Amino acid sequence: MGRTVRRAAVGLTAGALVLGFPVAVSAQAGEPAEATAETLQASTLRDAAASQGIFVGTAVNDGLLSNSTYSSIASDEFSSVTAENVMKWESIQPSQGNFNFAGGDRLVNFAQANDQQVWGHTLVWHSQLPSWVRDGGMSASQLRQVMNTHITTVMDHYEGDVAYWDVVNEAFNEDGTRRPSVFQTTLGDGYIAEAFRTADAADPNAKLCINDYNIEADNAKSDGMFNLVSSLLNQGVPIDCVGFQSHLILDQVPSTFRSNLERFTNLGLEVVITELDIRVSMPADSAELQRQSQQFASVTSTCLAVEGCVGVTVWGISDRDSWVPDVFPGEGAACLWDDNYQPKPAYTGMLTALGGEPGGGEPEPPTGCSVSYVVNRWNTGSVVEVRITTSTALNGWSVNFTLPAGTITNHWNAQITQSGTTVRAANAAHNANVAAGGSFGFGFQTNSGATYTTPTISLNGANCTTA
Ligand code: G3I
C-alpha cells in the first residue's frame, strides 16, 4: 500500500472565506450543528479548491516571478506551485557536485510568503539532464551513486519545504515498455525502486510520486504504469502517488480518465493531475475556447469525483508563457489566461467546476464608507497604506481605484490585481469579515514616486468619502 492516502486541504486557513453552502458551526446543546452561511462564493481557484479539499497548482516560470501581474495571479489563484524548470537536474546540478539551488529557493520563498505548497519537479528524468550524466559513459555503480547523491542532496536541501516530489518522470514508452533512458539502459528495471527508496530515506515526510504523460486514458502506457506501481507496492517500495501530466488536445479528453484514475487509487495511491493544459489549433475561435472551458471543467470534476485525487496543477499561467507553441508549431492557447493575462472562459470553467464563482457573486454595497489613503514616496517608489471604515458589516470586500502612476510590485493584506491604471483589491482569507463601524487595511508598493491626488475609491461598488 502507499504510505498514506488523504485529501489535502491546502490553503484552508482559519477565517478562510466562508462559502455559500452549509458549514459546521459550534452548536449549543439541542441545536443543529449546521447553519447556512449567507456569504460569498469563492472567487479564486485556490479558495474554491480548498473548499473541496484539494489543491490547485500552477507551474511557475522563475524568470517571470518579477512580473507583478504574473506573480499576483500565481499567489492569489493557486495553493500549490511547481518549478517549471529550476528544480530539474540540468538546473540544479549542472556539473558534478556543483549544486545550484538559487531558482528553487526563490520558488520556496515565494510559496512560503503566499501560504502555498511546493511540488518538486523532478529528480530522475531523461530530459533536461546534463551531458555529464546523459553521455558520461558511467558504469552501473558510478551512475547508481550519482543518481542517489543527486536525490539525497536535493531532497535534503528542501526537506520540510517540498510536500511532493516527482521522483521519477516519464519512464515509459507509448507502448508501456520502459523508455531507454541512461538510467534504464545502465541500471536496468530496478532503478525506479532504488530511486524511491533513496528518496524515502532522504525525506520520509515528503510524498513520493511517479509522473508521466499520455497515461490519462486506460491504454498500453497507463497499463505499463499500473503494472509498475502494483509491483513496487508488492515489493514494499515507498511510493505515494502517480502524477497524470494531462497535456491534452482540445476535444480529446479521454472517456476512460475517471476509471483509469480509480484503478490507481484502488491500490491505495494518491493520484494528481500534475501538468494540465489543453492545446488548440491556432488561431483559436470562440467556440473552441468555450469547448476548452468545458474540458478544463470536466478534468477538474473528474479529479473531484475520485476519492484520492488530491489536486490539479495547470502547466503555466498564460498562453504567452506556455511551452506548447515551441514544441507544437501552430498550436497554443492551452492555458487559463490569455496572452494579456486576462482570464479566459477556461478559467471560469475551472473555477465553476470547483464550486466558485467569478467575482464571488456581487457583494452588497455598504451604505457608507470612508477611506484614508496614505502615500510614502521616494524617487523611484512609493508605499501606499489604505484603510477603509465601513458603516455596514462586510462578508468579503472588493475595493477598486485608479493608480495614476507606476506598477504595483508588492502588496499585503489583500489580493491585488492591476490592469493598466485600474486596481482591484479583494479581501485576503483572514480579513473578509468586518463589523459595522469597523475598518480594514491593506497596502502596496509601487515602482513610481510620482505625486497624484487621492483617487476615488469604491468599496463593493459604492464610492467612499475621503477621510
Ligand atoms: O535555459 C535556457 C536558456 O539559457 C536559453 O537561452 C534558452 C534558449 O531556448 O533555452 C533555455 O532553456 C529552455 C528551458 O525550457 C528553460 O526555459 C529550453 O530551451 C526549453 O526547451 C525548456 O522547455 C521546458 C521543457 O519542459 C523541456 O523539456 C519547458 O519550459 C517546460 O514547460 C517543459 O515542461 C515539461 C515538464 O517538465 C515534464 N512534462 C512535459 C512538460 C512539457 O514539455
Side-chain angles (χ1 to χ4, degrees):
M1 294 292 284
R3 299 192 298 175
T4 52
V5 176
R6 64 176 167 78
R7 244 193 210 293
V10 174
L12 263 183
T13 48
L17 189 62
V18 185
L19 302 165
F21 55 77
V23 292
V25 294
S26 58
Q28 303 294 322
E31 286 184 358
E34 290 209 326
T36 300
E38 179 56 45
T39 53
L40 305 177
Q41 297 291 114
S43 62
T44 61
L45 297 174
R46 68 181 292 176
D47 283 337
S51 74
Q52 304 286 352
I54 68 169
F55 66 80
V56 62
T58 185
V60 169
N61 178 329
D62 180 58
L64 294 173
L65 272 181
S66 54
N67 171 332
S68 65
T69 303
Y70 180 93
S71 61
S72 292
I73 295 174
S75 59
D76 294 347
E77 293 286 347
F78 296 100
S79 53
S80 179
V81 286
T82 301
E84 185 170 3
N85 285 299
V86 293
M87 289 187 180
K88 292 172 178 175
W89 195 317
E90 71 174 9
S91 301
I92 221 161
Q93 195 187 178
S95 58
Q96 188 163 14
N98 168 25
F99 287 88
N100 175 8
F101 295 115
D105 290 356
R106 272 192 293 277
L107 185 71
V108 168
N109 290 338
F110 179 84
Q112 289 176 350
N114 295 300
D115 191 22
Q116 292 168 310
Q117 163 184 283
V118 178
W119 185 289
H121 176 76
T122 173
L123 294 165
V124 181
W125 186 30
H126 68 278
S127 180
Q128 290 177 286
L129 188 62
S131 57
W132 71 270
V133 185
R134 193 185 60 233
D135 311 322
M138 285 184 245
S139 67
S141 64
Q142 287 170 325
L143 184 61
R144 178 172 295 112
Q145 188 179 5
V146 160
M147 179 183 84
N148 288 335
T149 298
H150 183 78
I151 294 169
T152 303
T153 308
V154 176
M155 289 187 70
D156 279 353
H157 181 82
Y158 289 115
E159 186 167 4
D161 295 330
V162 169
Y164 287 79
W165 275 105
D166 289 326
V167 177
V168 174
N169 198 37
E170 300 176 3
F172 289 97
N173 294 316
E174 295 303 294
D175 66 1
T177 59
R178 291 289 188 91
R179 180 193 291 274
S181 69
V182 68
F183 303 104
Q184 177 71 32
T185 56
T186 310
L187 303 178
D189 281 351
Y191 87 89
I192 295 180
E194 172 136 8
F196 276 87
R197 289 194 165 107
T198 303
D200 184 50
D203 183 353
N205 294 317
K207 299 274 181 129
L208 307 178
C209 311
I210 186 164
N211 188 46
D212 217 323
Y213 61 89
N214 287 351
I215 58 165
E216 295 75 32
D218 190 339
N219 59 24
K221 192 172 185 179
S222 64
D223 285 350
M225 179 67 92
F226 183 80
N227 292 335
L228 169 68
V229 297
S230 301
S231 149
L232 292 176
L233 291 168
N234 287 337
Q235 296 167 62
V237 174
I239 179 170
D240 299 293
C241 33
V242 180
F244 297 76
Q245 292 186 10
S246 308
H247 294 293
L248 302 176
I249 300 170
L250 186 70
D251 301 331
Q252 295 184 32
V253 178
S255 60
T256 52
F257 206 160
R258 177 175 172 176
S259 58
N260 187 46
L261 292 179
E262 285 172 338
R263 67 172 167 155
F264 287 88
T265 57
N266 287 341
L267 296 174
L269 293 170
E270 294 182 6
V271 297
V272 185
I273 313 295
T274 48
E275 304 184 14
L276 176 62
D277 49 27
I278 303 180
R279 58 186 185 267
V280 181
S281 290
M282 297 301 284
D285 65 29
S286 61
E288 288 169 324
L289 294 179
Q290 286 302 331
R291 295 208 302 283
Q292 183 189 50
S293 173
Q294 290 159 4
Q295 290 164 31
F296 267 98
S298 149
V299 173
T300 304
S301 300
T302 297
C303 178
L304 290 175
V306 175
E307 183 67 30
C309 182
V310 296
V312 180
T313 288
V314 296
W315 204 244
I317 290 178
S318 86
D319 293 341
R320 75 192 288 171
D321 318 321
S322 168
W323 68 288
V324 166
D326 290 342
V327 175
F328 299 103
E331 298 181 61
C335 298
L336 300 179
W337 280 265
D338 69 14
D339 287 347
N340 298 312
Y341 291 103
Q342 296 303 306
K344 294 164 58 184
Y347 168 83
T348 308
M350 187 164 176
L351 178 60
T352 307
L354 289 167
E357 184 181 335
E362 284 309 308
E364 282 295 306
T367 53
C369 52
S370 66
V371 58
S372 136
Y373 186 93
V374 177
V375 187
N376 277 309
R377 297 188 167 87
W378 62 96
N379 283 348
T380 55
S382 61
V383 167
V384 180
E385 294 285 353
V386 180
R387 177 150 290 276
I388 297 182
T389 304
T390 172
S391 55
T392 325
L394 304 174
N395 280 323
W397 46 263
S398 167
V399 171
N400 288 278
F401 56 97
T402 298
L403 183 66
T407 299
I408 293 176
T409 54
N410 194 10
H411 60 270
W412 47 94
N413 292 334
Q415 307 172 63
I416 294 190
T417 50
Q418 179 178 12
S419 174
T421 57
T422 302
V423 176
R424 176 176 184 269
N427 60 272
H430 66 272
N431 59 8
N433 298 319
V434 186
S439 70
F440 62 91
F442 62 90
F444 57 90
Q445 184 174 342
T446 80
N447 59 5
S448 167
T451 54
Y452 52 85
T453 54
T454 301
T456 300
I457 294 186
S458 69
L459 171 62
N460 293 352
N463 287 348
C464 301
T465 58
T466 304

